[in-house]
Amino acid sequence: MTVQTNPEALQNIVIFKNFSIDEIKAALDLLHATSRQYKKSEIILHAGSTTREMGLVLKGSVTIENNDAWGNKSILSHVGKGHFFAETYAYIGTEPLMVDVTANEDCSILFLKIGALQELVSEKNPWAVKLTMNLLTIFSQKNLALSGRSFHISPKTIRGRVMAYLNSLYIKKGTSTFDIPFDRQQMADYLNLDRTALSKELGRMRDEGLISFHKNCFTIL
């Protein structure tokens, strides 16, 4: 399906930072932008496959998951509206994905073939250099997110992992009350924990007056 996205709606997206409307239109055309819809739990990209398209979440959200041969699942990250996935794989084009990208809810994804960017730069398209620099920002943000998860799962205890994760959100959001992007099972998968053990530890932390929570809304006390 040919993309129907309004270029004005993309001006605040980081990849189109400092772009004019005409430049966004040109980029959408030359990067073969297409929009696709997915239902909750539908796999968007499969581990082992290759892709030349990076995805921009226009609506809903997706999770980046590692599902091994023994049925174990780890959630590596959550990608919400206005954010990207598979940009590194798309830029390289030949590297098999090590993860699955799954719709966390009904979502709409805009795909861009950024593998063509190198040719567009050499052809001296005036916006191509700006897009390349904006991609560098996206790559850097993803590296920070992945290093953040390493920090979250490095503690040996369940409580240590929960506190590391919640504290990072407290610092990032600047408030002691915030929503997390996961349900309990997803939170357990993200922190590499058993769901039952996680739920018990959350209950103990609540009883001790360290936190309060309702569903995915948490408060650090």
Side-chain angles (χ1 to χ4, degrees):
M1 179 175 63
T2 302
V3 65
Q4 301 294 323
T5 303
N6 183 357
E8 286 83 357
L10 298 175
Q11 280 191 299
N12 294 325
I13 303 297
V14 61
I15 197 169
F16 296 119
K17 181 181 179 182
N18 298 323
F19 273 53
S20 68
I21 295 298
D22 287 340
E23 287 176 327
I24 293 177
K25 290 179 179 178
L28 292 176
D29 180 45
L30 292 177
L31 296 176
H32 306 286
T34 55
S35 176
R36 301 176 197 137
Q37 311 293 322
Y38 296 90
K39 296 293 186 180
K40 181 178 179 179
S41 300
E42 188 175 354
I43 297 181
I44 300 168
L45 293 173
H46 291 264
S49 64
T50 60
T51 182
R52 294 187 177 275
E53 299 176 319
M54 68 183 289
L56 165 61
V57 181
L58 298 176
K59 176 185 176 183
S61 62
V62 306
T63 53
I64 312 300
E65 304 173 354
N66 177 35
N67 296 286
D68 67 24
W70 297 272
N72 301 307
K73 179 169 74 173
S74 295
I75 293 180
L76 305 182
S77 64
H78 172 275
V79 182
K81 180 180 177 181
H83 295 278
F84 297 86
F85 60 86
E87 62 281 349
T88 302
Y89 290 104
Y91 190 76
I92 296 173
T94 57
E95 186 71 20
L97 276 75
M98 298 298 293
V99 295
D100 291 322
V101 181
T102 305
N104 193 50
E105 56 192 303
D106 291 354
C107 58
S108 176
I109 308 296
L110 176 68
F111 290 95
L112 302 170
K113 289 188 176 180
I114 60 169
L117 188 57
Q118 299 177 44
E119 295 178 9
L120 296 174
V121 171
S122 65
E123 293 170 1
K124 300 189 182 343
N125 289 281
W127 51 266
V129 173
K130 287 193 290 186
L131 193 141
T132 301
M133 297 304 296
N134 291 342
L135 269 177
L136 182 59
T137 298
I138 293 170
F139 291 152
S140 300
Q141 290 172 341
K142 285 300 182 69
N143 283 335
L144 285 174
L146 289 174
S147 63
R149 182 176 184 269
S150 297
F151 179 74
H152 299 153
I153 64 174
S154 61
K156 295 181 179 180
T157 65
I158 298 173
R159 179 168 297 195
R161 295 186 185 189
V162 171
M163 293 179 74
Y165 176 55
L166 296 181
N167 185 65
S168 68
L169 291 175
Y170 165 68
I171 293 173
K172 183 177 181 179
K173 296 179 180 294
T175 176
S176 59
T177 298
F178 46 80
D179 290 338
I180 68 171
F182 302 127
D183 60 27
R184 286 295 176 274
Q185 183 60 61
Q186 291 173 325
M187 185 180 183
D189 291 339
Y190 177 77
L191 294 174
N192 278 355
L193 297 171
D194 174 76
R195 177 179 176 175
T196 300
L198 171 64
S199 295
K200 288 181 178 178
E201 188 59 43
L202 289 175
R204 283 191 287 265
M205 293 175 69
R206 178 186 56 202
D207 294 342
E208 293 174 23
L210 297 174
I211 61 173
S212 65
F213 56 87
H214 178 67
K215 294 185 178 180
N216 68 331
C217 181
F218 282 75
T219 298
I220 295 179
L221 303 176

